[in-house]
Amino acid sequence: MGIFLEEIERVKTISKEDFYNKYVKKQKPVVIEQLTVDWPAYEKWRLNYIKEVAGEKIVPLYDDRPVSHEDGFNEAHAKMKMSDYIDLLQSKPTNYRIFLYNLMKEVPSLARDFKWPDIGLRLVKQLPMLFFGGENSKVFMHFDIDYSNILHFHFHGEKRCMLFTPNATPYMYKVPYSLIAREDIDFDNPDFEQWPALKQVKGLVCNLKHGEMLYMPEGYWHYMKYVTPGFSMSLRAFPRKPLNLLKAIYNVFFMRHYDNFMRKRKGQAWIDYKNEQAILRTNKKLNKEVSI
């Protein structure tokens, strides 16, 4: 038996007012199925098209290896030509993913394939970020450093998205001075004897298909699994809650730099300490609640 998961609400289309009042204001996720149907991207954005327009670009790749003190913050594990990477995606399952990549800066024509949605969020008009993954590749459980409200669009295939509210944080085995849960937790099928606090959480889930958009409110935990090879695009809006804006500023300007400093100073001992603290702090919170 896994974590209790409830399907995320779906709508085909929605007005700007309804989206804002029912979902943004209430900080509630939703899937909008037909937001992209009038975009050129809806017809064009398949892996072979990306190979055609960006095949010569060298792209950074990430896999699912545990965080190491030797890696910088979000530092790539490998590099490859986009054409070779897409060939790899289409030939066999691979753990290599492209993460938070500004491909449109490299290939400006891609920016003409989508429209900034007029949906009640003041989206940051920096170039959007793209994410690619192979069959069964996973994006570890995390939340975003800037606490943004995120519009997450998926193309070519299917992607499973699991979300948890910020209120679940005390039970998520969050690693201190980072944005991630313990990387050795299998959120598809967690061992509750090893991770008992996860019995306290309820999650939300959806399978995104080509052209669908998932709204993820600020600070939500998310775990992604590519059911088939595919890619996604995220558009972002700054956090609306003042406290979340302060947390974002802390993460970007202090936490990230402090973590990098400690990695350089203490090496793997710092990573091991943080992973141990994730268990100790979570279980302490759990035991305190049980004893009340």
Side-chain angles (χ1 to χ4, degrees):
M1 187 174 150
I3 293 171
F4 177 83
L5 297 173
E6 183 181 338
E7 284 287 329
I8 294 171
E9 193 174 331
R10 287 176 165 268
V11 297
K12 290 194 183 304
T13 60
I14 194 169
S15 68
K16 176 164 67 172
E17 292 73 23
D18 281 350
F19 176 69
Y20 185 81
N21 289 324
K22 291 182 179 180
Y23 301 104
V24 177
K25 214 169 177 181
K26 295 179 180 178
Q27 290 289 280
K28 181 182 176 185
V30 65
V31 174
I32 305 178
E33 296 176 345
Q34 298 180 0
L35 188 60
T36 68
V37 291
D38 63 341
W39 294 8
Y42 189 77
E43 298 296 331
K44 294 162 70 174
W45 279 20
R46 310 283 177 169
L47 287 171
N48 284 338
Y49 176 70
I50 300 297
K51 181 179 174 181
E52 184 184 314
V53 298
E56 294 303 307
K57 300 299 178 185
I58 305 296
V59 293
L61 302 176
Y62 300 82
D63 58 27
D64 56 1
R65 74 186 70 175
V67 169
S68 164
H69 73 282
E70 295 173 353
D71 299 329
F73 189 87
N74 282 348
E75 185 179 327
H77 298 136
K79 292 186 178 180
M80 191 181 290
K81 274 175 66 172
M82 178 65 91
S83 58
D84 293 335
Y85 176 62
I86 288 176
D87 286 343
L88 177 64
L89 289 185
Q90 295 184 312
S91 65
K92 62 183 179 181
T94 174
N95 289 329
Y96 275 131
R97 295 176 292 104
I98 295 178
F99 172 74
L100 209 65
Y101 183 54
N102 199 338
L103 183 61
M104 291 179 202
K105 186 177 179 182
E106 305 283 332
V107 188
S109 64
L110 287 171
R112 296 194 290 270
D113 291 340
F114 77 93
K115 303 174 183 178
W116 289 93
D118 182 16
I119 202 165
L121 282 173
R122 189 178 295 173
L123 297 166
V124 181
K125 290 292 179 78
Q126 291 171 319
L127 289 172
M129 297 299 181
L130 295 183
F131 308 78
F132 291 70
E135 180 183 340
N136 287 330
S137 64
K138 301 172 183 179
V139 182
F140 49 78
M141 184 66 74
H142 69 288
F143 61 93
D144 283 16
I145 193 168
D146 58 1
Y147 279 78
S148 283
N149 291 274
I150 300 167
L151 306 182
H152 191 71
F153 301 82
H154 191 63
F155 299 94
H156 192 118
E158 192 172 338
K159 185 180 195 180
R160 185 168 175 80
C161 309
M162 189 187 298
L163 308 185
F164 294 88
T165 73
N167 291 339
T169 299
Y171 311 105
M172 296 294 287
Y173 295 93
K174 178 186 176 297
V175 177
Y177 302 104
S178 75
L179 315 165
I180 63 174
R182 285 270 311 208
E183 293 169 283
D184 47 352
I185 299 174
D186 177 3
F187 277 91
D188 289 319
N189 187 28
D191 180 345
F192 287 132
E193 288 192 12
Q194 188 175 6
W195 316 111
L198 292 180
K199 290 181 185 176
Q200 307 298 316
V201 301
K202 294 180 180 179
L204 297 160
V205 70
C206 69
N207 276 34
L208 285 184
K209 294 185 170 62
H210 177 80
E212 294 183 339
M213 185 278 283
L214 167 64
Y215 165 60
M216 291 189 286
E218 50 202 68
Y220 264 61
W221 289 86
H222 45 283
Y223 159 79
M224 310 285 192
K225 183 177 181 180
Y226 289 84
V227 180
T228 68
F231 63 102
S232 305
M233 175 180 76
S234 281
L235 305 180
R236 319 173 78 79
F238 287 129
R240 298 170 58 256
K241 296 180 180 178
L243 180 59
N244 285 345
L245 187 58
L246 288 173
K247 288 177 181 176
I249 291 168
Y250 167 80
N251 287 343
V252 172
F253 294 105
F254 175 75
M255 184 271 290
R256 177 173 60 172
H257 298 292
Y258 179 72
D259 185 49
N260 276 335
F261 168 75
M262 292 301 287
R263 284 190 200 196
K264 289 174 183 172
R265 186 177 175 194
K266 293 198 169 184
Q268 192 60 37
W270 174 244
I271 305 294
D272 295 341
Y273 165 78
K274 292 199 303 173
N275 279 322
E276 182 185 357
Q277 285 296 310
I279 296 176
L280 293 175
R281 294 181 187 189
T282 303
N283 287 344
K284 182 179 179 182
K285 167 76 174 173
L286 183 65
N287 293 335
K288 187 177 179 182
E289 291 188 358
V290 169
S291 64
I292 290 175

